[in-house]
Amino acid sequence: MWPLTPLNQALSIAILLLSLALGASMLHGRALKAERDEKIAEIDYMAREAQAFNERSNAIARQTNEQHIALVESAKKTAYANYLKKYGDNAACGISVRLPNMPADPSEASSAPSDHAAESVGVLTRDFLDRASEAAVMIQACQQFVVKNDLEVE
């Protein structure tokens, strides 16, 4: 065999050092790959959780909307039924005849009754009662919100 000369020793040391560097580089690459895979798994988990949260939120919003609509419809029916029970079909809030505005001095009173007083009192319509019941439900919801959140009312 050839005797080991200083040049051969230097080449052997260089090969050994380069082999160690390659091994360290491969280990570092595997560590980085494992870290990357861990981050990818975490991001996938967060995406699945966000999707599940979005689906739950949409379901709750849909259910709340349906319950609100049902509550408004129920309030409309109840208000209209109570109105009909109390005042009948053609009454205007229970007032069947409205007295005309009387002047302060009896001598100024006209002998003919005015028809505009009867025209100013209209019959309550279904639409008006629907809007009134919606407003009542909204006011009640706002009051519950204020009470639930301890808000100050000015």
Side-chain angles (χ1 to χ4, degrees):
M1 279 279 275
W2 291 90
L4 293 176
T5 61
L7 181 61
N8 283 342
Q9 288 177 350
L11 286 175
S12 296
I13 291 172
I15 290 172
L16 179 66
L17 288 176
L18 287 174
S19 297
L20 288 175
L22 178 63
S25 175
M26 289 175 66
L27 286 175
H28 183 67
R30 286 182 184 167
L32 289 177
K33 183 177 182 283
E35 186 178 325
R36 185 200 66 198
D37 291 343
E38 183 180 317
K39 294 287 184 185
I40 289 173
E42 184 179 345
I43 290 170
D44 288 343
Y45 170 75
M46 290 186 337
R48 285 191 307 272
E49 285 298 312
Q51 182 67 27
F53 177 79
N54 190 19
E55 290 171 0
R56 282 193 310 269
S57 295
N58 287 339
I60 290 171
R62 214 174 12 261
Q63 181 183 11
T64 302
N65 187 32
E66 290 168 1
Q67 288 176 350
H68 176 72
I69 290 171
L71 182 64
V72 167
E73 290 299 320
S74 172
K76 285 179 187 179
K77 291 175 184 174
T78 304
Y80 192 66
N82 289 340
Y83 166 77
L84 290 177
K85 187 188 318 176
K86 187 170 183 179
Y87 300 115
D89 287 336
N90 293 322
C93 293
I95 302 171
S96 58
V97 176
R98 180 177 171 181
L99 295 175
N101 293 333
M102 300 302 284
D105 186 13
S107 64
E108 294 176 5
S110 65
S111 59
S114 67
D115 291 333
H116 74 284
E119 292 172 5
S120 66
V121 178
V123 176
L124 291 181
T125 62
R126 176 82 177 187
D127 182 52
F128 173 78
L129 291 174
D130 289 347
R131 286 184 282 132
S133 61
E134 286 177 10
V137 168
M138 186 58 79
I139 290 171
Q140 183 181 13
C142 289
Q143 288 173 341
Q144 289 173 354
F145 177 79
V146 167
V147 169
K148 212 180 258 187
N149 293 304
D150 293 329
L151 299 176
E152 292 183 19
V153 179
E154 296 180 11

